[in-house]
Amino acid sequence: MRIDVLNGVNLGMLGKRDPATYGDQSLQDLETQVYAWALQLDLQVRCRQTDHEGEFVGFLHQALGSADGLVLNPGAWTHYSWAIHDALEPFGGPFVEVHLSNVDEREDWRRFSVLHGLGGLRVVGKGFDGYREALQLLNERRPE
Ligand code: DQA
């Protein structure tokens, strides 16, 4: 099963950015863990990150037909980017929205997600482990 793990804006700053909220490990540390978990679950994972919204939209377009499932953390775009909503809509496969922090218990504006209503699953507030949970959830939805 092919999974794209897509991290958006400012996720490249992990380890340097608000460690009390996001931890002290880097994006590279996260991706190393994701690849190790994927190996355990026999998943074929590709990790990508960008700070450019149009590039993120491009990742979503490319996932159509090349990935069987998605793990998405669009960062702040989650809360306002209808372009990301629209780019994800045609995907059709299973996806999991992940947030390292518990966005439901922070500022009000973080509670809203443009991905709501697209039929995905959601894991919030579990740090890096949230990505492992997302991979497990997708593994349970393997295509026949
Ligand atoms: C985040 C939560 C967002 O509100 C924030 O803008 C981020 C990171 C998280 O993983 O907790 O950049 O997506």
Side-chain angles (χ1 to χ4, degrees):
M1 185 180 192
R2 300 160 303 172
I3 311 289
D4 282 353
V5 175
L6 306 180
N7 284 300
V9 62
N10 292 317
L11 272 307
M13 290 297 284
L14 285 180
K16 298 187 185 115
R17 171 192 184 205
D18 190 1
T21 304
Y22 299 115
D24 56 10
Q25 290 185 282
S26 67
L27 177 67
Q28 204 188 328
D29 295 331
L30 172 62
E31 292 184 344
T32 301
Q33 290 211 350
V34 165
Y35 285 121
W37 291 325
L39 207 62
Q40 288 167 8
L41 292 167
D42 191 28
L43 295 169
Q44 238 180 287
V45 159
R46 170 169 65 166
C47 292
R48 312 178 89 178
Q49 189 272 333
T50 181
D51 290 319
H52 301 278
E53 189 181 1
E55 194 175 7
F56 197 87
V57 164
F59 290 169
L60 293 170
H61 293 168
Q62 288 161 29
L64 192 61
S66 75
D68 304 305
L70 298 175
V71 177
L72 301 174
N73 183 350
W77 292 325
T78 307
H79 313 301
Y80 65 88
S81 173
W82 294 109
I84 287 173
H85 167 282
D86 287 356
L88 180 59
E89 206 168 23
F91 176 66
F95 74 89
V96 186
E97 174 185 350
V98 174
H99 298 286
L100 295 158
S101 63
N102 188 348
V103 284
D104 296 331
E105 291 183 1
R106 297 179 63 192
E107 300 93 326
D108 282 352
W109 60 268
R110 291 188 203 270
R111 291 182 191 194
F112 175 77
S113 169
V114 295
L115 307 186
H116 181 78
L118 289 179
L121 300 164
R122 197 162 177 267
V123 179
V124 305
K126 297 189 176 174
F128 283 13
D129 281 344
Y131 288 76
R132 174 165 49 185
E133 193 172 320
L135 293 176
Q136 285 165 343
L137 289 167
L138 291 174
N139 190 41
E140 289 164 13
R141 285 160 181 77
R142 264 178 197 269
E144 306 275 299

